[in-house]
Amino acid sequence: MMADPINGLRGFASLQVMLGHYGFFLKTPQFFMPAMEMPMFFLLSGYCLTLGYGNGKLDLRSYLQNRFARILPLYYLINLYVAPLKKILSWTLVVSKCTLPIYLIITFLCTNSWFTIYNPSFPKPFSTNNWTINTLWFFYMVYPLILPRLQTLSDAAISRL
């Protein structure tokens, strides 16, 4: 299948990101630079989505169920695990009591990082590495809107994009 080599590249990019984070915590020189691999990872993920969903009409219900099942259970589990740790270990959680309900809602909706672009002081997800999930979630929500338009373009038109 065409996706196998692409999935291999995605795995390699993920490994680079993991090793880069590992080096960060060990305070060693960053041979692996995770920030350099994230754009490639997102691009390859979009390409794989198109391989899987791009041949015909997108079944929105099935698509969303698959995205929910793939991303959200672990996202919620990590946030439920990290939130009490921040309290126990006295890590900074920049959330006032009046904004806590809003913070919980946007964490539940997987949209924290969407707002930090406009306001860097806006609270991050409980687990700050979840910004990647917030970014993927945005793409997953926009993808069904973009795909039908891309399907109408010819190969020549797509190559000019």
Side-chain angles (χ1 to χ4, degrees):
M1 179 176 191
M2 174 71 163
D4 289 339
I6 302 298
N7 282 330
L9 284 173
R10 284 175 62 205
F12 180 71
S14 297
L15 183 63
Q16 292 271 73
V17 170
M18 183 192 73
L19 291 173
H21 283 98
Y22 182 70
F24 175 77
F25 287 112
L26 291 178
K27 310 246 187 293
T28 60
Q30 295 242 337
F31 175 72
F32 299 102
M33 299 182 68
M36 300 291 285
E37 303 303 330
M38 291 310 297
M40 181 174 75
F41 180 76
F42 289 134
L43 181 67
L44 292 172
S45 295
Y47 183 76
C48 287
L49 267 180
T50 303
L51 285 177
Y53 291 103
N55 299 328
K57 188 167 175 21
L58 179 70
D59 176 14
L60 188 59
R61 183 182 181 132
S62 172
Y63 168 80
L64 290 176
Q65 283 177 340
N66 289 340
R67 299 301 98 205
F68 279 117
R70 183 176 179 95
I71 297 292
L72 294 183
L74 187 57
Y75 172 79
Y76 292 141
L77 182 67
I78 288 171
N79 277 291
L80 285 171
Y81 177 74
V82 171
L85 277 180
K86 286 194 172 193
K87 181 75 170 161
I88 292 167
L89 299 175
S90 300
W91 292 344
T92 305
L93 182 59
V94 189
V95 180
S96 67
K97 289 184 180 185
C98 64
T99 60
L100 184 61
I102 294 169
Y103 186 66
L104 291 173
I105 290 169
I106 62 174
T107 298
F108 178 78
L109 295 175
C110 205
T111 58
N112 300 67
S113 298
W114 300 7
F115 302 102
T116 56
I117 292 170
Y118 303 107
N119 183 358
S121 65
F122 197 84
K124 315 279 185 290
F126 290 114
S127 173
T128 53
N129 287 337
N130 278 338
W131 73 266
T132 57
I133 303 302
N134 294 166
T135 303
L136 276 174
W137 196 247
F138 174 77
F139 177 73
Y140 288 161
M141 296 300 102
V142 172
Y143 184 78
L145 303 172
I146 296 172
L147 183 62
R149 293 193 175 141
L150 289 176
Q151 288 173 324
T152 62
L153 298 175
S154 67
D155 289 343
I158 289 175
S159 68
R160 288 191 299 268
L161 291 176

